[in-house]
Amino acid sequence: MKQSADLQTILTRRFRVDDAANFDLSKYDPKDKADIGLSKSEGKALMKVAKKRLADLQDLLYANGTKSLLIVFQGMDTSGKDGTIKHVMSGVNPQGVTVSSFKQPGPQELLHGFLWRIHIAGPSAGRIVIFNRSHYEDVLVTRVHPELLEREHLPGEVGTPEFWQGRFDDIRNFEHYLSRQGTVVLKFFLNISREEQRKRLLRRLDLKDKRWKFSSADMKEREFWGDYRHAYEEAIRHTSCDHAPWFVIPANRKWFARLVVIHAIIDTMEKLGQKTPTMEPDLASSLDKYRQELVDEAG
């Protein structure tokens, strides 16, 4: 089994998109295991250790109250977004974490720019916010189904190359703004194969307690598989930056995807260099006095 620090470096570097201009989604294998010979049982053991480390880092983030973390999850239907969020964040203090799921915008939201509802849901200092789908839907779903743009009260011509470039620019600028305000942005694309999606959809239909998850929309959107892949490739190519990187996570094996995600988060939070807050000498002295009073009560 790889040492945890070595594993973290390997996974973070392998799946982070650094050369965005030349990004090619076809070069990322949904079955990739990073050539480290890790078994599922070993991965689960490492996951337990990683959850404890993430919990400690979250405590420091909350205690310092100067930085925040925004984690974005995107992926095709059945790619495992819900399960990844559940498993990766299961060890952290729920008081410091919020999960926001963005569905189709309602009438009031459609009267505003596409980033309006996103900005208000962002994290305050010291907190972690997770977006289960996000502002990227506005360069994914609307690109595959441009007729949806007709509801957005937009001026001028829409759906043109210039229009999409403008949205990419807006997203980059928005995420840059967040980073300058102390919010670290991490974005994960859970990359599954078309065949794996077929198997997962079948599993939902075959298992009675999973059937509630199935939607006819899943089958309809599956017909646009190639269009969505192209839209994701374009979105990642135009918006993966040092201050808001994309990670393309091989998601055919759920246990491995979760391990990559948690190590990428840990790596980022460790680099923040957050320390346990120090107290003013007078306050520390007062606390020592209170402690002694409590000890004396037992005598």
Side-chain angles (χ1 to χ4, degrees), residues 19-271:
D19 185 13
N22 296 306
F23 176 68
D24 182 351
L25 184 55
S26 68
K27 294 181 179 179
Y28 288 79
D29 183 0
K31 301 186 296 295
D32 191 357
K33 287 177 60 179
D35 302 322
I36 54 178
L38 198 65
S39 69
K40 185 174 181 178
S41 60
E42 289 174 327
K44 288 187 173 182
L46 288 169
M47 191 71 177
K48 290 182 180 180
V49 176
K51 286 181 180 180
K52 177 62 171 63
R53 179 58 178 153
L54 180 58
D56 292 341
L57 290 167
Q58 186 222 357
D59 284 344
L60 289 175
L61 183 77
Y62 188 84
N64 280 270
T66 55
K67 295 281 189 177
S68 58
L69 183 62
L70 174 60
I71 304 172
V72 172
F73 283 98
Q74 291 285 160
M76 304 288 280
D77 294 327
T78 77
S79 61
K81 296 182 293 297
D82 292 346
T84 300
I85 294 168
K86 176 181 176 181
H87 283 79
V88 168
M89 307 306 292
S90 62
V92 301
N93 186 338
Q95 289 185 321
V97 180
T98 301
V99 179
S100 295
S101 298
F102 292 95
K103 307 298 183 182
Q104 289 188 12
Q108 181 65 22
E109 292 167 326
L110 288 169
L111 291 172
H112 294 80
F114 76 98
L115 291 172
W116 177 70
R117 63 175 181 160
I118 304 299
H119 194 178
I120 200 169
S124 55
R127 295 185 59 84
I128 297 174
V129 167
I130 300 167
F131 285 174
N132 186 350
R133 300 191 185 274
S134 66
H135 44 302
Y136 282 93
E137 294 295 287
D138 291 281
V139 291
L140 295 168
V141 176
T142 53
R143 192 158 192 183
V144 175
H145 301 290
E147 65 275 10
L148 295 175
L149 294 171
E150 297 173 5
R151 306 180 305 156
E152 295 190 19
H153 308 278
L154 295 167
E157 192 173 3
V158 300
T160 64
E162 293 76 18
F163 174 83
W164 296 119
Q165 185 59 56
R167 285 211 162 174
F168 293 141
D169 292 343
D170 290 340
I171 289 172
R172 282 200 313 274
N173 291 333
F174 171 65
E175 292 174 349
H176 190 203
Y177 166 78
L178 290 179
S179 72
R180 287 188 285 110
Q181 302 304 308
T183 298
V184 179
V185 183
L186 294 179
K187 300 172 292 191
F188 297 102
F189 170 57
L190 301 185
N191 184 30
I192 62 169
S193 66
R194 184 178 172 86
E195 173 61 15
E196 179 63 21
Q197 186 192 61
R198 185 185 72 85
K199 291 178 180 178
R200 293 183 185 184
L201 288 172
L202 274 175
R203 198 172 301 128
R204 288 181 179 181
L205 291 170
D206 290 342
L207 299 175
K208 290 183 178 179
D209 60 345
K210 298 292 184 182
R211 281 199 158 199
W212 66 270
K213 289 187 174 184
F214 188 86
S215 168
S216 59
D218 296 337
M219 294 299 294
K220 179 182 177 182
E221 293 304 287
R222 183 171 162 81
E223 297 174 9
F224 299 94
W225 180 272
D227 295 329
Y228 273 109
R229 298 284 289 185
H230 174 70
Y232 270 111
E233 186 172 74
E234 283 286 290
I236 293 171
R237 183 180 295 148
H238 284 89
T239 62
S240 194
C241 309
D242 288 342
H243 58 267
W246 273 103
F247 293 81
V248 178
I249 307 298
N252 273 23
R253 296 179 177 89
K254 294 180 181 180
W255 67 268
F256 188 74
R258 294 162 185 168
L259 192 65
V260 176
V261 168
I262 198 169
H263 276 291
I265 296 171
I266 289 171
D267 183 73
T268 297
M269 294 184 73
E270 286 180 342
K271 288 175 180 175

